[in-house]
Amino acid sequence: MIIADRETVLKTPELADVMRRIVGSKNVLSTLEDRICYSCDGSKQQYLPDIVAQPCTTQQVSKILCFAHEHNIPVYPRGAGSGLTGGAVPVMGGIVLDFSRMNRIMEIMPEDLTATVEPGVVTQTLQNEVARYKLFYPPDPASAAFSTIGGNVAECSGGITGLKYGVTRDYILALEIVLADGSVIHTGRKTLKSVTGYDLTRLFVGSEGTLGVFTKITVKLIPLPETVETLLAFFQTPADAIKTASQIVANNLLPRALEFIDKSSIDCIKAYNRAFKIPAETNAILLIDVDGRASSVTTESSLIEKIVVENHALEVTTAKNSQERNALWEVRRAISPALYNIAPFKINEDICVPRSQILEILERIADINERYPLLKVANFGHVGDGNIHVNVMYKDGKSQRAMAEGMIDEILHATVELGGTISGEHGIGNVKSAFVPLEIPPQELQIMRNIKQLLDPKGILNPAKIFTQTNNKQPLQ
Amino acid sequence: MIIADRETVLKTPELADVMRRIVGSKNVLSTLEDRICYSCDGSKQQYLPDIVAQPCTTQQVSKILCFAHEHNIPVYPRGAGSGLTGGAVPVMGGIVLDFSRMNRIMEIMPEDLTATVEPGVVTQTLQNEVARYKLFYPPDPASAAFSTIGGNVAECSGGITGLKYGVTRDYILALEIVLADGSVIHTGRKTLKSVTGYDLTRLFVGSEGTLGVFTKITVKLIPLPETVETLLAFFQTPADAIKTASQIVANNLLPRALEFIDKSSIDCIKAYNRAFKIPAETNAILLIDVDGRASSVTTESSLIEKIVVENHALEVTTAKNSQERNALWEVRRAISPALYNIAPFKINEDICVPRSQILEILERIADINERYPLLKVANFGHVGDGNIHVNVMYKDGKSQRAMAEGMIDEILHATVELGGTISGEHGIGNVKSAFVPLEIPPQELQIMRNIKQLLDPKGILNPAKIFTQTNNKQPLQ
């Protein structure tokens, strides 16, 4: 599964010629400046690709892979490059396949409750287009406004709607895939049920570009909920907030979103924007979306408000229209920029634990933090499905990076110990590949490696992702 | 992928000795009478196994597979044996692994919305047990009252709730699996989100016992809907019924069940039980369940009633309590026994088409039927998700069987032509394996065969299922 010595293969000028013949001159980026733009992704690593190709058709993707396969050149499919675990960084050089030109919504079939799209369609664009037919594509990663459906399928993206609606894999019916050798296969059917043969579709969903490259994606849609209401509740203790979340579900309520924000995040938000009216004693926030038929949303929203109040909320605000809802969600959206304001460096973790273990993992993280007094931790995330984003922040990129990594190491160990997973929704990429054995025992991992070997024997597809590999190039920075 | 010459391996007495040492004498069935009981399943084929073992623990399953692997003996995991495509028939002799003693519900975790069970748990038992905690396991195959969760996972069972709630694969979080060589692996996590590595869990779901044997299954649960209402509507034309079904979904309504019954089925039901009050001119029936919060169910139920009436329903009856609901569902439940009343033989097909193609496939089936005037066809099924059970009935088992098979062949061709699948929820087994290439092109099929080869190189796990194989024993009958 090792690429042959990369130094012997074609260099940028020769590669550019070949790519131009396949995708046309205007769809090839070969200057150093252009290649630098494609050298990094949301993980903030930087590895220079030899060339960037922007295919427009399945056939072009197939030709590129045929060529790359013959010449042992690594290929990195890339959506918006917003992934946080390095899924799109060209760690071994080679060809970046940028899908920004394959961004057509090919069909929306309201009667079939399906849509077929190219991988470069931005997720929110799909959501908006199907909404015109009163249809709903539920997976909603925080990046939906800019990340692409191809990237979402590759990473099996989750997001805020996971508790009620599941994740990307629950909405993918069929895929057109170009394999490592350039051959084109079709998995699944455009039907709501199908059990003919093994479930290849879901084997490819979440495979992070390491098994094949998606060129068409058929998604399942559901009717658009009639209405959405939002509640923002402030609590004096995290325990009250977590207990509220549990009691909501225990009372037969499945909110569309059930988001948790901890004290550190709140402090950052307050410092970032003093306009937010957050009561002084607030140590935890819950942000809750309820959707469905109007009559039922009203009932559920008041039931939730009752539970919130019973659990000693300091204050609760309800928003019924989209303007008011947006205002409440501003608090949640402010977290990311706010965190950068207090420390220039952060590692954004993505653990997920069984919901009964949320308080326990938060306590363990606090304990671990005590051993790293120079670092600051802020936790927020999708408490409804146990998916917490743990942000370890540090001020000095050189001296404190190792410290932050040590802390992450301890947090991931604690997570797995509690029955959790080291990646709820961000994927593994190369950023977390060293931690995979913590969660996946050798035999299961070997099965995965064997499947990789079966589908990509030369290892040209997104090499050094998911599985550890030691022959990466040195990063640029 | 071929079992070594079966004539050279151990016979029943020697096998019985080994099995007794592993699972204890009372858990081994070796007499001819006992073996005959395990020679068939819902597909009505009959192949005699050499031995039946009833393991009680994962370790026993592992030991049996270790032994079978070493001696090239085929192994057939078996739940209730209610599958309709031959998934449990021991076509090459060997060991039937009967999971009836591994039927414990190991834990129900209301806070985590999960339950962990052994494979022999009857699906309805699980549904009932979790309902005590106001939780819901939605997949609901018609066989739920007797089929097991292990069998459901192996076949990726669907059922009447597919349109609203999806199918078995959407509810499986984690699996304990014994591989062909006896080693035990664990896939997935008990968390609502997890994207660490490839999705092995869903590769095994629907693999029909050909890749591994499940010994523990963790399922995802959701809150139990507060209430369910049922509507039974009679129509003069199938077109009116199908149009009603489409308009229900187009009006943003997702019923828990949306069942269709055609004229032939109705005639059978009428002849079977004259107590059913079905208007004389009825040529199609829709049976609709609506669930959710009480207020919303009332709204949705009246909206559906309005759509039904607008589409010229002859009559519509609504049931609000479980006794009334049961009475309406009796009509649907009567179909299977009723069909046997008019013809002793039938082939029960399980096609699924995109919902927009339902009328088209029904018309094509009627056209095909014209070329087979001796055969009678009755269609019913889950019209909400396009999954139609086509029943081809014949009176003479010998002379008309080939005719019925010819008709099925034409129906499956038409189904695939319309973008459908040859198996919505019953699986492939050995009954439909010859038709798989109709839907799955050679390269995809080769990937599936390679995965089988990877996980079961000796081909001992449920041989001759999904993939065609020519060295089956002759059936008993």
Side-chain angles (χ1 to χ4, degrees):
Chain A
M1 211 158 56
I2 301 298
I3 294 287
D5 180 8
R6 286 279 303 125
E7 302 312 312
T8 66
V9 302
L10 298 173
K11 292 295 180 195
T12 299
E14 295 96 317
L15 268 178
D17 279 349
V18 179
M19 290 302 119
R20 282 189 196 108
R21 280 199 296 276
I22 298 174
V23 298
S25 296
K26 72 174 197 311
N27 298 324
V28 176
L29 306 173
S30 60
T31 66
L32 182 62
E33 294 79 356
D34 278 337
R35 286 152 58 211
I36 286 176
C37 290
Y38 285 84
S39 66
C40 48
D41 71 357
S43 71
K44 301 197 187 64
Q45 305 169 85
Q46 218 181 9
Y47 292 89
L48 201 63
D50 294 311
I51 197 85
V52 179
Q54 299 174 314
C56 302
T57 65
T58 302
Q59 210 191 2
Q60 290 177 358
V61 175
S62 165
K63 282 184 180 167
I64 293 171
L65 278 160
C66 263
F67 173 80
H69 191 252
E70 192 184 337
H71 296 275
N72 297 319
I73 304 169
V75 175
Y76 310 86
R78 181 185 176 96
S82 55
L84 297 167
T85 52
V89 287
V91 291
M92 297 175 75
I95 304 166
V96 165
L97 267 191
D98 170 18
F99 278 95
S100 54
R101 297 205 196 280
M102 288 181 73
N103 65 347
R104 284 181 307 157
I105 294 180
M106 310 187 71
E107 60 171 33
I108 298 173
M109 300 289 282
E111 196 170 352
D112 294 340
L113 295 175
T114 63
T116 299
V117 301
E118 290 183 325
V121 170
V122 169
T123 305
Q124 201 170 76
T125 305
L126 173 64
Q127 290 168 336
N128 292 342
E129 283 304 304
V130 303
R132 295 169 55 187
Y133 299 86
K134 285 198 181 175
L135 293 172
F136 184 34
Y137 175 71
D140 199 22
S143 60
F146 43 90
S147 68
T148 66
I149 192 82
N152 287 187
V153 175
E155 302 295 319
C156 187
S157 298
I160 61 159
T161 57
L163 170 65
K164 179 162 184 178
Y165 291 110
V167 295
T168 301
R169 70 165 178 246
D170 301 314
Y171 294 88
I172 307 304
L173 294 177
L175 293 170
E176 180 180 84
I177 302 166
V178 181
L179 296 180
D181 64 0
S183 54
V184 181
I185 66 165
H186 296 86
T187 70
R189 300 299 278 174
K190 290 185 188 175
T191 53
L192 296 186
K193 285 176 178 168
S194 176
V195 293
T196 308
Y198 300 148
D199 189 350
L200 294 187
T201 305
R202 258 147 292 266
L203 179 62
F204 282 92
V205 174
S207 65
E208 307 197 24
T210 65
L211 297 181
V213 178
F214 312 131
T215 45
K216 280 197 197 86
I217 297 162
T218 298
V219 302
K220 167 176 139 175
L221 305 169
I222 61 173
L224 190 68
E226 199 174 277
T227 186
V228 190
E229 272 186 38
T230 300
L231 294 96
L232 182 67
F234 304 103
F235 295 88
Q236 201 160 8
T237 72
D240 283 343
I242 303 294
K243 202 171 151 210
T244 301
S246 287
Q247 287 188 3
I248 288 170
V249 179
N251 277 276
N252 249 17
L253 298 154
L254 266 196
R256 172 197 182 112
L258 185 44
E259 298 286 299
F260 169 81
I261 304 172
D262 82 345
K263 172 76 163 64
S264 298
S265 309
I266 295 165
D267 288 345
C268 296
I269 297 169
K270 281 178 170 175
Y272 176 73
N273 186 343
R274 283 163 203 279
F276 291 132
K277 288 178 194 127
I278 300 173
E281 325 88 282
T282 304
N283 287 308
I285 293 178
L286 284 184
L287 182 62
I288 306 161
D289 269 359
V290 187
D291 71 354
R293 200 157 289 281
S295 56
S296 141
V297 167
T298 308
T299 315
E300 297 195 359
S301 179
S302 7
L303 282 170
I304 289 174
E305 197 171 340
K306 191 164 161 276
I307 295 168
V308 165
V309 171
E310 279 169 6
N311 281 291
H312 323 296
L314 298 164
E315 199 181 302
V316 54
T317 318
T318 310
K320 288 180 200 292
N321 65 44
S322 68
Q323 203 183 345
E324 287 172 15
R325 288 189 56 232
N326 260 325
L328 297 193
W329 272 90
E330 275 305 312
V331 173
R332 171 71 171 79
R333 286 190 206 106
I335 300 177
S336 277
L339 294 185
Y340 279 113
N341 258 13
I342 66 150
F345 302 101
K346 71 168 179 174
I347 302 180
N348 174 3
E349 263 312 323
D350 168 43
I351 60 170
C352 187
V353 293
R355 226 188 33 249
S356 57
Q357 303 299 321
I358 293 173
L359 256 187
E360 177 68 24
I361 191 71
L362 290 177
E363 279 165 19
R364 291 209 193 182
I365 292 170
D367 288 349
I368 295 167
N369 199 178
E370 284 183 8
R371 288 197 293 284
Y372 297 86
L374 294 176
L375 307 179
K376 202 163 167 61
V377 177
N379 303 300
F380 62 90
H382 322 302
V383 77
D385 48 39
N387 186 196
I388 306 284
H389 296 308
V390 183
N391 288 263
V392 175
M393 294 171 291
Y394 54 106
K395 289 190 173 166
D396 183 324
K398 279 184 185 159
S399 71
Q400 293 178 344
R401 174 80 196 183
M403 220 179 273
E405 284 175 358
M407 190 171 165
I408 292 290
D409 191 304
E410 290 193 43
I411 292 171
L412 294 183
H413 272 84
T415 301
V416 173
E417 226 177 86
L418 294 176
T421 176
I422 63 168
S423 186
E425 56 184 17
H426 291 171
I428 298 297
N430 64 334
V431 166
K432 287 183 164 182
S433 53
F435 293 107
V436 169
L438 198 65
E439 181 176 330
I440 310 217
Q443 198 177 3
E444 284 90 316
L445 200 55
Q446 192 55 50
I447 295 174
M448 294 181 191
R449 281 184 185 272
N450 290 346
I451 289 172
K452 166 74 176 170
Q453 174 70 26
L454 196 65
L455 287 162
D456 180 20
K458 291 186 166 190
I460 64 165
L461 284 177
N462 213 4
K465 306 295 165 68
I466 302 181
F467 310 104
T468 46
Q469 223 162 329
T470 50
N471 57 344
N472 299 1
K473 293 201 324 187
Q474 283 303 305
L476 285 183
Q477 61 200 131
Chain B
M1 211 157 56
I2 301 299
I3 294 288
D5 179 8
R6 286 279 302 125
E7 301 312 311
T8 66
V9 302
L10 299 173
K11 293 295 181 196
T12 299
E14 295 96 317
L15 267 178
D17 279 348
V18 179
M19 291 302 119
R20 283 190 196 107
R21 280 201 295 276
I22 298 174
V23 299
S25 297
K26 70 176 198 309
N27 298 324
V28 176
L29 305 173
S30 60
T31 66
L32 182 62
E33 294 79 355
D34 279 337
R35 286 153 58 211
I36 287 177
C37 291
Y38 285 84
S39 66
C40 49
D41 71 358
S43 70
K44 300 197 188 61
Q45 306 169 84
Q46 218 181 9
Y47 292 89
L48 201 62
D50 294 310
I51 198 85
V52 178
Q54 300 174 314
C56 302
T57 65
T58 301
Q59 212 192 0
Q60 290 176 359
V61 175
S62 165
K63 282 184 181 169
I64 292 171
L65 278 161
C66 262
F67 173 80
H69 191 252
E70 192 186 335
H71 296 274
N72 297 320
I73 303 169
V75 175
Y76 310 86
R78 182 186 177 95
S82 55
L84 296 167
T85 53
V89 287
V91 292
M92 297 174 75
I95 304 166
V96 165
L97 267 191
D98 170 18
F99 278 96
S100 54
R101 299 207 194 278
M102 287 181 72
N103 65 347
R104 284 180 306 156
I105 294 179
M106 309 188 71
E107 60 171 33
I108 297 172
M109 300 289 283
E111 197 171 350
D112 294 339
L113 295 174
T114 64
T116 298
V117 302
E118 289 183 325
V121 170
V122 168
T123 305
Q124 201 170 76
T125 306
L126 173 64
Q127 290 168 336
N128 292 342
E129 284 303 305
V130 303
R132 295 169 54 188
Y133 299 87
K134 286 198 182 175
L135 293 172
F136 184 34
Y137 175 71
D140 198 22
S143 60
F146 43 89
S147 68
T148 65
I149 192 82
N152 286 187
V153 175
E155 302 295 318
C156 187
S157 298
I160 61 159
T161 57
L163 170 64
K164 179 163 184 178
Y165 291 109
V167 295
T168 301
R169 70 165 179 246
D170 301 313
Y171 294 87
I172 307 304
L173 294 178
L175 294 170
E176 180 180 83
I177 302 166
V178 182
L179 297 180
D181 64 1
S183 54
V184 181
I185 66 165
H186 295 86
T187 70
R189 301 298 277 174
K190 290 185 189 175
T191 52
L192 296 186
K193 286 176 177 167
S194 175
V195 292
T196 308
Y198 300 148
D199 189 350
L200 294 186
T201 304
R202 258 147 292 267
L203 179 61
F204 282 92
V205 174
S207 65
E208 307 197 22
T210 65
L211 298 181
V213 178
F214 313 130
T215 44
K216 280 197 196 85
I217 296 161
T218 298
V219 302
K220 167 176 138 175
L221 305 170
I222 61 173
L224 190 69
E226 198 174 278
T227 184
V228 190
E229 273 188 38
T230 299
L231 293 97
L232 182 67
F234 304 102
F235 296 87
Q236 201 160 8
T237 72
D240 284 343
I242 303 294
K243 202 170 150 210
T244 301
S246 287
Q247 288 187 3
I248 287 170
V249 180
N251 277 275
N252 250 17
L253 298 154
L254 266 197
R256 172 196 181 113
L258 184 45
E259 298 286 298
F260 169 81
I261 304 172
D262 83 345
K263 172 78 162 62
S264 298
S265 310
I266 294 166
D267 289 344
C268 296
I269 296 169
K270 281 178 168 175
Y272 176 72
N273 186 342
R274 283 163 203 279
F276 290 131
K277 287 177 195 130
I278 300 174
E281 327 87 283
T282 305
N283 287 308
I285 293 177
L286 285 185
L287 182 61
I288 306 160
D289 269 358
V290 187
D291 70 355
R293 200 156 289 282
S295 57
S296 143
V297 167
T298 308
T299 314
E300 297 195 357
S301 178
S302 7
L303 282 170
I304 290 174
E305 196 171 339
K306 191 164 161 275
I307 295 168
V308 165
V309 171
E310 279 169 6
N311 281 292
H312 323 296
L314 298 165
E315 198 181 303
V316 55
T317 318
T318 311
K320 289 182 199 291
N321 64 45
S322 67
Q323 202 184 345
E324 288 172 14
R325 289 189 55 232
N326 260 326
L328 297 193
W329 271 90
E330 274 306 312
V331 173
R332 172 70 171 81
R333 286 191 205 106
I335 299 177
S336 276
L339 295 184
Y340 279 112
N341 258 14
I342 67 151
F345 302 100
K346 70 168 178 172
I347 302 181
N348 174 3
E349 263 312 323
D350 168 43
I351 60 170
C352 187
V353 293
R355 226 188 32 250
S356 56
Q357 303 298 321
I358 293 173
L359 256 186
E360 176 68 23
I361 191 70
L362 290 177
E363 279 166 19
R364 291 208 192 182
I365 292 170
D367 290 348
I368 294 167
N369 199 179
E370 283 184 9
R371 290 197 293 283
Y372 297 86
L374 294 177
L375 307 180
K376 202 163 168 61
V377 177
N379 303 299
F380 61 91
H382 321 303
V383 77
D385 48 39
N387 187 195
I388 306 283
H389 296 308
V390 182
N391 288 265
V392 175
M393 294 171 290
Y394 53 106
K395 290 191 172 165
D396 184 322
K398 279 184 185 159
S399 71
Q400 294 177 342
R401 175 78 196 184
M403 220 179 273
E405 284 175 357
M407 190 171 166
I408 292 290
D409 190 305
E410 290 193 43
I411 292 170
L412 295 183
H413 272 84
T415 301
V416 173
E417 225 176 86
L418 295 175
T421 177
I422 63 169
S423 187
E425 56 185 16
H426 292 172
I428 299 298
N430 63 335
V431 166
K432 286 183 164 183
S433 53
F435 293 106
V436 170
L438 199 64
E439 181 177 331
I440 309 217
Q443 198 176 3
E444 284 90 316
L445 199 55
Q446 192 55 51
I447 295 173
M448 294 181 189
R449 281 184 185 274
N450 289 346
I451 289 172
K452 166 74 176 171
Q453 174 72 24
L454 196 67
L455 287 162
D456 180 19
K458 292 186 165 188
I460 63 167
L461 284 177
N462 213 4
K465 306 296 165 68
I466 302 182
F467 310 104
T468 47
Q469 223 162 327
T470 50
N471 57 343
N472 300 2
K473 293 203 321 189
Q474 284 302 305
L476 285 182
Q477 61 200 134

